[in-house]
Amino acid sequence: MQSTIEQNKAAVVRFNKEFIEQGNMNSFKELVADDVINHAAPPGAPNGPESMIHFILNILRNGFSDIKIDILDQVAEGDKVTTRKAIHAVHTGEFMGVSASNKKVTIHVIDIIRLRNGQYIEHWGLSNIPQVIAEISEK
């Protein structure tokens, strides 16, 4: 029988593989609580589940194709899982106002997720998206 910590780590892997990589909304609904708080949402923007859906489906997946996520490290304690990951993709659509460049990119991310009953209830995240925008903007 898996410990809660191992179950939480597995839920985070599923979110990354099934929702971010594949865009599977059924997985999102299973893995994210209705009352989730996305602390990574821009100031003044909604910070519930809609903010996560909007960023992943309407911004990230519209701007990039061939998305693959490598989970590099996971550390878990209590109800939190910290993940260091690399998102590999090809810039084939508009992303943050930058037209498709067809460049391969790597987005480095560190996320902290708090879970309850196997569902995301809080998310914090840091990434190198400003660096990626600079890379895809270069002619």
Side-chain angles (χ1 to χ4, degrees):
M1 186 171 179
Q2 279 188 321
S3 71
T4 300
I5 286 177
E6 291 305 314
Q7 290 172 347
N8 285 346
K9 289 167 73 174
V12 172
V13 170
R14 271 192 67 207
F15 180 89
N16 280 274
K17 295 295 185 178
E18 296 175 19
F19 180 61
I20 298 176
E21 274 188 7
Q22 300 168 16
N24 185 328
M25 276 303 298
N26 289 328
S27 296
F28 181 87
K29 290 173 184 172
E30 285 178 32
L31 295 167
V32 179
D34 291 339
D35 60 345
V36 68
I37 299 169
N38 180 15
H39 297 284
N47 68 349
E50 67 279 2
S51 68
M52 298 168 83
I53 293 167
H54 175 71
F55 181 77
I56 299 301
L57 297 184
N58 301 334
I59 298 175
L60 185 72
R61 292 185 56 80
N62 272 347
F64 297 97
S65 60
D66 301 324
I67 295 173
K68 297 291 178 238
I69 300 175
D70 288 329
I71 303 295
L72 304 171
D73 292 301
Q74 276 192 313
V75 178
E77 182 175 303
D79 61 356
K80 292 187 183 85
V81 177
T82 300
T83 304
R84 184 175 66 92
K85 62 190 175 190
I87 303 172
H88 305 283
V90 180
H91 180 224
T92 53
E94 183 179 321
F95 181 73
M96 305 288 217
V98 181
S99 297
S101 66
N102 294 310
K103 293 180 181 180
K104 292 181 179 179
V105 301
T106 302
I107 303 170
H108 297 282
V109 180
I110 298 175
D111 282 324
I112 300 172
I113 308 300
R114 190 162 73 91
L115 297 102
R116 175 184 66 224
N117 300 323
Q119 289 189 311
Y120 282 43
I121 58 170
E122 286 188 272
H123 165 262
W124 296 264
L126 295 173
S127 74
N128 70 329
I129 285 179
Q131 177 187 345
V132 170
I133 291 170
E135 288 173 18
I136 61 177
S137 296
E138 292 174 1
K139 299 290 179 196

